[in-house]
Amino acid sequence: MSSFDWKSEVVVVTGASAGIGAALAREVGKRGGTTVVAARRAAALEDVARSTGSPSLAVVADVTRRDQVEALARAAIERFGHVDVWVNNAGRALTRPAIELTDDDVDLMIRDNVKSALYGMQAILPHFRARGRGHLINVSSMLGRVPFASFRAAYSAAKHALCSLTENVRMDLATELPEVKVACVYPGVVYTDFGTNAVGGGPDSRSLPGGQTAEEVATVMADAIASRAGGDVYTRPEALERVLAYYRGLA
Ligand SMILES: NC(=O)c1ccc[n+]([C@@H]2O[C@H](COP(=O)([O-])OP(=O)(O)OC[C@H]3O[C@@H](n4cnc5c(N)ncnc54)[C@H](OP(=O)(O)O)[C@@H]3O)[C@@H](O)[C@H]2O)c1
């Protein structure tokens, strides 16, 4: 395992104009790392880049567009020479029970939560392969492990698909590129604009009990970067036991 020095780390974070992504960019900056922050809202993104306190490049990109994700990877490498960590954090929820879902609902959730991350992994992997190292981090959700919230059925299904895809990438790279780590992060409720941004409305995440702040989640994610964690990263200590208890109950 190679040694870790935040000063030489270049971390790309998608969905970094707000919420968890913005908090992660600030946490990485606070620790001395360089960030490349991406999202669609340019002004908010520039504010986040300035607030990191370390070198940071803002790149406007819609992660549902493969060409824009590829351009993001090129911009990061061109500016800083290399990328160490790529965090597919951008995502979006949709509120509708499974039985009422339309074709468009399902397509939207797969596009925003699965294809977006796939584009990211595929865009940066050639660079990681050439360097023989790197860290892919996909942000899923506890709803991507356990379908606790049936009103978020298509979102939950998409995040399950993202976990599965992430794990398959991890398995495929484990032998060929053991120094390319692949992790999936599972936040529970986080107090961000996520709920109010959900298609179809639904509860404001900030009104739900037992949540975490974006800063708490960012600290766990930055620790995962520093330890080059692969596999599953739960943002709360009790989360894995909740997942296991759910499946034990079904068995
Ligand atoms: N908050 C929670 O309770 C919670 C729980 C579990 C998992 N998560 C996951 O955590 C991740 C971050 O969520 P959050 O809570 O920080 O949500 P948020 O506050 O709604 O922020 C979402 C971020 O993603 C960006 N984004 C959305 N669609 C995009 C697109 N097509 N292209 C580029 N950027 C896009 C948004 O920026 P622009 O609008 O500027 O593009 C924003 O920066 C998501 O993957 C979410 O599913 C959240």
Side-chain angles (χ1 to χ4, degrees):
M1 162 129 6
S2 45
S3 62
F4 190 91
D5 176 7
W6 276 108
K7 290 277 177 226
S8 62
E9 291 288 306
V10 178
V11 181
V12 177
V13 184
T14 72
S17 62
I20 294 169
L24 178 61
R26 292 191 185 105
E27 183 63 29
V28 168
K30 198 168 87 184
R31 295 183 188 207
T34 294
T35 51
V36 179
V37 293
R40 294 164 301 184
R41 285 171 294 164
L45 207 52
E46 291 289 353
D47 285 348
V48 172
R50 270 192 296 275
S51 72
T52 63
S54 287
S56 184
L57 172 69
V59 179
V60 173
D62 180 343
V63 294
T64 67
R65 294 275 309 275
R66 187 188 279 278
D67 57 338
Q68 295 189 21
V69 177
E70 288 170 347
L72 168 63
R74 283 196 302 274
I77 295 164
E78 196 177 301
R79 176 63 170 268
F80 296 115
H82 70 276
V83 170
D84 296 282
V85 187
W86 183 286
V87 185
N88 288 305
N89 165 74
R92 191 182 188 191
L94 181 145
T95 305
R96 201 149 5 254
I99 210 72
E100 293 173 17
L101 289 170
T102 66
D103 286 1
D104 286 348
D105 290 340
V106 177
D107 290 348
L108 184 73
M109 286 296 95
I110 295 294
R111 188 194 73 175
D112 283 18
N113 296 297
V114 183
K115 289 170 82 174
S116 56
L118 182 65
Y119 297 157
M121 292 194 288
Q122 291 176 338
I124 202 62
L125 194 58
H127 178 69
F128 287 173
R129 184 172 270 123
R131 300 186 83 210
R133 56 186 286 243
H135 201 170
L136 286 169
I137 300 179
N138 292 335
V139 179
S140 178
S141 166
M142 282 294 281
L143 293 183
R145 267 289 181 242
V146 176
F148 287 125
S150 62
F151 63 98
R152 291 267 164 81
Y155 170 77
S156 190
K159 289 294 198 183
H160 272 77
L162 175 61
C163 298
S164 176
L165 213 64
T166 309
E167 184 56 14
N168 283 160
V169 172
R170 194 188 66 75
M171 288 161 66
D172 287 349
L173 297 184
T175 309
E176 182 204 345
L177 293 165
E179 289 306 318
V180 175
K181 304 298 178 189
V182 183
C184 198
V185 179
Y186 298 91
V189 171
V190 188
Y191 297 139
T192 68
D193 296 334
F194 174 76
T196 49
N197 285 338
V199 179
D204 183 338
S205 306
R206 292 186 175 88
S207 72
L208 299 172
Q212 286 178 295
T213 64
E215 288 70 29
E216 286 176 85
V217 173
T219 299
V220 174
M221 291 176 69
D223 289 347
I225 290 172
S227 63
R228 301 205 190 282
D232 291 353
V233 176
Y234 291 93
T235 65
R236 306 192 76 132
E238 71 279 12
L240 175 59
E241 189 44 48
R242 283 192 76 195
V243 172
L244 296 175
Y246 177 86
Y247 286 105
R248 269 190 223 109
L250 290 185

